[in-house]
Amino acid sequence: MSLDVTDIGTIPAAWTQRHLLGLESLTTEELNIVLDAAEMFKEATENCTKKISVLAGRTCANLFFENSTRTRISFSLAMRRLGGDTVDFASGSSSLSKGETLIDTAKNIEAMGVDVVVCRHRTPGTPHLLSNNLRAAIINAGDGAHEHPTQGLLDILTIRQRRGTLAGLTVALVGDIQFSRTARSNIWGLKKLGANVILCGPATLVSPMWRELGVEVSHNLDEILPRCDVLNLLRIQFERQSTRPFPSVREYAHLYAMNKQRIERAKDGVLILAPGPINRGVEVTTDVADGPHSVILEQVTNGLAVRMAVLWLVCGVAVREQE
């Protein structure tokens, strides 16, 4: 870790991003800055039980157009732990239902003194659209099946904490790759930090075209299992699919669920990640989800630290530009 608590007053000079829209556009150095900052905040807040008021007077608006539990709460807690204020937005009861455009709604919220907008929307590119029309910093909290950068960062941070490095590790993303924004952010981040990435799932959800990103594609979990250091079990995104991509959930679980028998055939110390919400008995059995190889709850804890780091960094650039 290259940052410590004495660095909290000044963001690294190498960080120049006003927004966090995805991991595809970040450099390796910028990825490491966020991870190091997250480690710093996790240590400084003693597992997030203390406040550090570096964002006192700043306000973050959570614009969530899709349901969310972990991400929304995590961003709200992160902003409050940094001494800032939060505003929550519910699209169903907003002026959008009266015909107001997304941009007009966002600009009106910004006009009330908002510094940061955290946006989740089912349409890919929505955070990018906001970044072109608002002065506030924009953080992508998931746009359709495009990217979910803070989820990718917290996954990567969890692996780095357990293994010390990403370089040389083999990480398999298992499940619904086609409709997963988490998969895309993981691929960009893991590859830049030196990991070998395998995408594994039914042929209807893992196209051979993914190989163009420099990853391996497999449709047989049992075949790749002995080579994997980490398995990130992605949820089947039924809500984004127009047709069922496999004959039955039971068949999917038989072929791809991580269970006790597969753990016994995996590498010693294999890490089991899942971005959540997990479907017990579909992607992972309960004994594995709650077992010694699982770091699922560590991912949630690290999510808070990652979001503190991202809020600190993007707000820091805004302050630097005003000076």
Side-chain angles (χ1 to χ4, degrees):
M1 189 175 74
S2 59
L3 295 173
D4 61 38
V5 68
T6 61
D7 296 311
I8 285 178
T10 307
I11 63 168
W15 180 267
T16 59
Q17 302 282 344
R18 290 188 66 242
H19 315 287
L20 180 69
L21 303 178
L23 299 192
E24 182 180 4
S25 59
L26 295 191
T27 65
T28 301
E29 182 179 17
E30 289 168 334
L31 283 169
N32 281 317
I33 286 173
V34 182
L35 297 174
D36 292 346
E39 295 265 26
M40 175 181 69
F41 279 111
K42 188 171 184 179
E43 180 180 343
T45 54
E46 297 179 357
N47 294 321
C48 299
T49 58
K50 293 181 178 177
K51 280 190 176 182
I52 300 175
S53 298
V54 290
L55 295 187
R58 300 276 169 179
T59 302
C60 172
N62 291 321
L63 271 59
F64 279 65
F65 298 88
E66 282 187 326
N67 293 335
S68 172
T69 301
R70 278 160 293 276
T71 305
R72 183 200 287 264
I73 293 174
S74 185
F75 268 111
S76 293
L77 277 176
M79 191 65 183
R80 291 170 190 164
R81 293 270 159 79
L82 294 171
D85 297 314
T86 61
V87 176
D88 283 326
F89 166 84
S91 59
S93 57
S94 73
S95 292
L96 288 171
S97 61
K98 302 176 184 175
E100 187 172 60
T101 68
L102 170 71
I103 297 299
D104 282 340
T105 297
K107 282 186 172 180
N108 276 275
I109 293 173
E110 181 187 47
M112 297 179 199
V114 166
D115 304 285
V116 187
V117 171
V118 177
C119 177
R120 169 172 288 191
H121 202 286
R122 63 183 174 185
T123 303
T126 299
H128 301 68
L129 179 67
L130 293 179
S131 72
N132 290 328
N133 286 277
L134 272 65
R135 295 185 305 277
I138 308 298
I139 299 174
N140 182 359
D143 59 331
H146 177 223
E147 279 221 46
H148 192 351
T150 55
Q151 180 67 49
L153 287 163
L154 71 89
D155 292 345
I156 291 167
L157 177 63
T158 305
I159 298 170
R160 194 178 82 162
Q161 286 178 337
R162 284 296 192 116
R163 290 290 180 268
T165 180
L166 275 296
L169 294 181
T170 296
V171 181
L173 307 177
V174 182
D176 184 352
I177 307 301
Q178 184 68 26
F179 296 95
S180 172
R181 51 197 174 209
T182 295
R184 286 162 176 79
S185 290
N186 265 263
I187 290 169
W188 294 122
L190 289 167
K191 290 290 296 176
K192 288 176 182 177
L193 295 173
N196 305 308
V197 178
I198 304 175
L199 307 182
C200 182
T204 49
L205 294 174
V206 189
S207 163
M209 297 290 287
W210 287 96
R211 293 194 178 100
E212 295 178 5
L213 300 181
V215 302
E216 181 180 339
V217 169
S218 172
H219 307 301
N220 190 327
L221 177 58
D222 291 308
E223 194 172 272
I224 67 167
L225 190 58
R227 294 192 282 132
C228 295
D229 300 290
V230 180
L231 293 157
N232 196 347
L233 310 174
L234 306 181
R235 185 176 64 87
I236 303 298
Q237 311 277 336
F238 288 118
E239 70 276 15
R240 297 180 194 157
Q241 301 163 0
S242 56
T243 58
R244 183 64 63 90
F246 38 76
S248 71
V249 171
R250 183 177 180 182
E251 179 186 282
Y252 178 86
H254 174 68
L255 294 173
Y256 297 105
M258 200 61 194
N259 54 34
K260 181 180 178 182
Q261 291 73 32
R262 288 194 168 104
I263 283 288
E264 291 172 349
R265 297 199 300 275
K267 280 187 175 181
D268 291 341
V270 65
L271 295 182
I272 302 298
L273 282 73
I278 62 172
N279 292 317
R280 293 174 184 263
V282 181
E283 301 101 18
V284 59
T285 56
T286 290
D287 54 347
V288 175
D290 300 332
H293 296 273
S294 172
V295 291
I296 294 172
L297 292 180
E298 289 179 39
Q299 291 174 262
V300 178
T301 301
N302 284 333
L304 187 50
V306 161
R307 284 154 187 145
M308 290 176 76
V310 171
L311 287 164
W312 174 66
L313 287 167
V314 298
C315 285
V317 170
V319 170
R320 197 158 60 193
E321 290 178 349
Q322 293 166 4
E323 292 174 346

